[in-house]
Every structure is written in structure tokens, then in C-alpha cells.
Amino acid sequence: MAATMDRMNKKKKYYGEAVAHYQEYVKACVSKLSKKQRVGNKKKTAKYTAQKLYDKKVLVSIDDVHQSTFRAVTIEFSTTDEVGVFEVSGKLGGLNLEKINLIFEDLLQLQYEGVSTLKIEDKVTVNVNLLIYLLNKKFYGHE
């Protein structure tokens, strides 16, 4: 019994250290990516119509907006001063929609947990994996 407890305590210590190393690694990766993001201290922006995001399968649905009107909806992703945080805004016709902050690390956590879709502000449903891919490609990819 004592030997089993000793082995379990060693494994607990090992996995605790592994988690700490993983967290440090993720922070280093996000920091490195943010340096690419901040080249020239310019705010990077990527604009899409909802239809284009729907065609790319990033956008799953928008509550109370019919898919046939997605061409009139514009969604914009912008970098912020915070590392790994994106500001997302939208326009429906000439009407500005509420801006929200999207935290990249939260998306990665959802991906790790196997969550396939995310509902933003109880209105917009997106595919987590494809949104991560899009943000990586547009903001962290090679130019």
C-alpha cells in the first residue's frame, strides 16, 4: 500500500510539472506570435461578409438573420493591444453591432476540450477549429 501511494505521489508531481511546462510553453508561443502581430505597431484587421465565413464553414449561424441576407452582414476581426485578444465587430446593413473581445487562448482551450462550436453573445455560432485556423492564417501566418 505504501509503495502504491509513493508511486502515485511521484506521478502526481510529474504531471503537475508537465502541466506547468505546458502552460509556460503556451505563454511563450502566444508571446512569440504577438511579436509577429505587432510588427510596425499597426493594428491588423481582416474583414469578411458573413456569407464568406459561412461558405468557409467558420460561421455556422446567426440567430434572427436568415442565411440569404448574410451578404449584407460584415464581420471584422482586429488585433488589440493585448496579446492574443481580438476585437470582433459587425455591421448589418448600416447598423453597427456590438463589439466583443475574443481571447485566442479560450478558443484553444475549447479546442482541447473537444468543443466543436461556440455561441458568441447568444446569437452567433462559429466552428471553433475553423475560427482558430482563420485567425492563425490571417494574423499569425507568414506574409
Side-chain angles (χ1 to χ4, degrees):
M1 184 78 144
T4 302
M5 286 297 288
D6 186 46
R7 283 194 307 271
M8 288 181 74
N9 285 332
K10 286 180 182 176
K11 281 188 178 184
K12 180 181 175 184
K13 181 180 175 186
Y14 169 78
Y15 287 124
E17 290 172 355
V19 167
H21 287 293
Y22 173 74
Q23 289 172 338
E24 286 177 33
Y25 173 74
V26 169
K27 285 180 185 177
C29 288
V30 170
S31 177
K32 183 178 179 182
L33 289 173
S34 72
K35 288 177 185 171
K36 286 183 183 179
Q37 177 179 325
R38 291 184 188 186
V39 172
N41 250 352
K42 290 183 181 178
K43 186 176 182 180
K44 283 186 162 183
T45 300
K47 269 187 185 178
Y48 298 94
T49 64
Q51 184 64 48
K52 184 158 187 157
L53 292 175
Y54 182 79
D55 292 343
K56 291 179 176 237
K57 310 251 187 274
V58 173
L59 178 65
V60 176
S61 67
I62 303 174
D63 292 353
D64 302 327
V65 178
H66 193 271
Q67 195 264 325
S68 64
T69 62
F70 279 2
R71 291 192 194 292
V73 179
T74 304
I75 299 172
E76 184 175 304
F77 299 92
S78 302
T79 58
T80 65
D81 292 335
E82 280 186 72
V83 175
V85 178
F86 297 92
E87 183 179 83
V88 182
S89 60
K91 286 185 180 180
L92 176 56
L95 181 66
N96 288 335
L97 306 175
E98 184 177 338
K99 293 181 181 182
I100 61 147
N101 284 337
L102 194 61
I103 301 169
F104 195 70
E105 194 170 342
D106 291 348
L107 292 174
L108 292 174
Q109 182 64 35
L110 290 171
Q111 183 184 45
Y112 173 76
E113 292 170 358
V115 176
S116 61
T117 59
L118 169 67
K119 191 137 186 160
I120 301 172
E121 295 293 314
D122 293 327
K123 292 185 188 260
V124 179
T125 305
V126 295
N127 180 306
V128 173
N129 290 332
L130 294 176
L131 180 57
I132 289 171
Y133 176 78
L134 177 86
L135 293 173
N136 268 327
K137 184 176 177 183
K138 286 296 174 185
F139 295 101
Y140 299 129
H142 299 291
E143 306 217 356

